[in-house]
Amino acid sequence: MTLVLRVDPEAPEDMVIAQAAKVILDGGLVAFPTETVYGLGANALDERAVEGIFRAKERPAYDPLIVHLADARALDLVASHVPETALLLADAFWPGPLTLVLPRHPRIPLQVTAGGETVAVRVPAHRVARALIRAADVPIAAPSANRFGRISPTCADHVLADLEGRIELLLDGGCTMVGLESTVLSLVDEVPSILRPGGISREALSGILGEVVLAPSTVPDETRLVSPGTASKHYAPRARVILYRGEQLQVLKAMRRDALDLLAAGEKVGLLLAEEDVQEMGELPVILQDMGSLASMAEIAQHLYSALRTLDGAGVTIILARDVGTEGLGLAIRDRLTRAASGHVIEVS
Ligand code: TXA
Ligand code: MG
């Protein structure tokens, strides 16, 4: 049985937080909101509790977890070496959606780091998350609170849909603000490299660091994209996804043409669009899902995952999604859509 407790996202109630902290200290699992997505938390210093996360999510043991801290002062407790750049970044972006990969401190169990000698760390900006970490007074290991490979949860009912009965407690603090996971930045090599684009843009990181490279797995390279299945399937709805890239009107034309073909072939088609696209689509017997306006990548990021879930819930068999470019949060949005599409990307020219 999973207990669900409502919590005020702005002013978390002490009693609720204390109850959640007790579950963590007893070795249990608590799902809680962060500013990015819901996390599935356990005491990062408790090997058995951490193993419970992998079981609940059906996550393979080779995929390491992020350790969440209440503030940057605790960095020395989880990392064996904290470079100057980490402190600069912490100053600029914490609390916030940036995860830093640093050398692991020996007290962090290898279960957390998937056997590796580095540890991923972040200070979340959500009041509930920080209150929970403070109250438990231990670092909290937390992946996104979804079953492995599925869409990250941005609202409490998404967590229940994936994990009901598998975790002790869910703190329901409403829907999250950022809507996409944190940016994962490795500081263990000479040049900082983005392992996963996310809530802090590459441009913002460059402003502090100068040169930042994108790790090869994050670069949606054309030759890989044309062969479906090469990008690992992740962040994925049940329906198949095809991603369309290119100039707006051309993209919409291609999506409309393909939608008609797919309908004729008996598919139930969903279109994932920007607000500006909807009127261009006209009358089509498909399900239109709007992610928000192109004028705000933050708005699209916030709605992306629930839009995908809504289309899944409507029972579509295939989702045609439009790309949003790579500026700011666009890069992370493209990354998630590319993975959801398993690399099935159509370049429209
Ligand atoms: O916004 C977020 O980051 C959310 C909230 C809950 O904090 N968490 C999250 O965790 O998205 P998860 O486990 O779903 O994704 C963590 C990512 C994975 O891609 C994992 O491979 C990577 O971070 N990661 C974790 N530790 C790492 C390490 N030591 N080295 C390289 N990558 C690491
Ligand atoms: Mg995840």
Side-chain angles (χ1 to χ4, degrees):
M1 259 291 283
T2 298
L3 176 66
V4 182
L5 293 176
R6 290 267 190 141
V7 60
D8 185 335
E10 297 303 325
E13 297 81 355
D14 290 343
M15 295 281 285
V16 177
I17 296 297
Q19 193 172 341
K22 182 166 185 313
V23 174
I24 294 282
L25 292 174
D26 287 345
L29 303 181
V30 177
F32 60 95
T34 81
E35 79 281 25
T36 57
V37 300
Y38 272 74
L40 176 57
N43 179 354
L45 305 177
D46 178 341
E47 297 173 8
R48 291 253 221 113
V50 170
E51 283 164 2
I53 292 179
F54 286 87
R55 266 198 308 278
K57 281 190 61 121
E58 295 173 23
R59 179 177 174 118
Y62 60 74
D63 197 1
L65 306 178
I66 296 174
V67 174
H68 296 68
L69 304 175
D71 63 66
R73 285 187 306 255
L75 261 180
D76 290 328
L77 302 176
V78 300
S80 62
H81 170 68
V82 179
E84 194 59 37
T85 46
L87 298 175
L88 285 174
L89 291 164
D91 255 1
F93 301 115
W94 282 355
L98 176 66
T99 294
L100 300 177
V101 174
L102 299 169
R104 177 184 73 98
H105 193 288
R107 74 201 292 260
I108 298 298
L110 290 165
Q111 279 84 349
V112 171
T113 65
E117 284 311 324
T118 60
V119 62
V121 196
R122 88 177 185 101
V123 176
H126 201 287
R127 291 205 166 100
V128 171
R130 299 183 77 202
L132 175 61
I133 303 163
R134 279 228 175 78
D137 201 24
V138 291
I140 293 187
S144 50
N146 51 280
R147 298 256 197 120
F148 183 70
R150 300 226 50 231
I151 305 168
S152 293
T154 52
C155 304
D157 55 327
H158 303 166
V159 178
L160 279 185
D162 269 20
L163 299 176
E164 171 136 55
R166 294 172 168 242
I167 62 177
E168 278 77 25
L169 178 63
L170 163 61
L171 294 180
D172 177 356
C175 296
T176 63
M177 295 299 297
V178 178
L180 286 177
E181 302 83 349
S182 61
T183 301
V184 179
L185 180 74
S186 173
L187 294 179
V188 293
D189 300 318
E190 232 151 273
V191 181
S193 80
I194 295 175
L195 304 182
R196 176 179 73 181
I200 298 289
S201 70
R202 182 190 191 177
E203 294 90 330
L205 292 174
S206 295
I208 303 284
L209 294 171
E211 192 188 5
V212 188
V213 300
L214 286 177
S217 64
T218 67
V219 184
D221 126 6
E222 319 305 316
T223 54
R224 287 175 50 218
L225 293 180
V226 290
S227 64
T230 47
S232 72
K233 190 166 164 88
H234 221 110
Y235 308 99
R238 287 178 218 284
R240 281 178 296 143
V241 177
I242 304 177
L243 179 61
Y244 289 75
R245 285 164 44 167
E247 185 275 318
Q248 186 197 16
L249 288 179
Q250 298 298 326
V251 158
L252 295 181
K253 215 168 112 189
M255 286 171 87
R256 166 182 264 283
R257 183 199 57 218
D258 291 354
L260 287 169
D261 286 349
L262 290 161
L263 286 164
E267 302 268 5
K268 184 160 181 195
V269 181
L271 299 184
L272 188 60
L273 300 170
E275 195 180 297
E276 290 82 351
D277 304 330
V278 175
Q279 63 200 37
E280 303 287 340
M281 272 305 177
E283 302 287 295
L284 273 184
V286 298
I287 298 181
L288 295 181
Q289 181 64 43
D290 152 19
M291 303 180 277
S293 168
L294 292 169
S296 166
M297 284 301 125
E299 186 188 348
I300 291 186
Q302 191 183 15
H303 297 130
L304 174 67
Y305 289 154
S306 55
L308 284 169
R309 280 185 190 259
T310 303
L311 286 172
D312 252 355
V316 302
T317 55
I318 188 155
I319 297 171
L320 310 186
R322 69 109 80 217
D323 178 57
V324 295
T326 58
E327 218 176 284
L329 291 184
L331 184 67
I333 296 166
R334 171 180 288 186
D335 173 78
R336 303 306 188 272
L337 284 172
T338 304
R339 288 174 203 274
S342 287
H344 196 165
V345 178
I346 294 179
E347 203 69 51
V348 185
S349 54

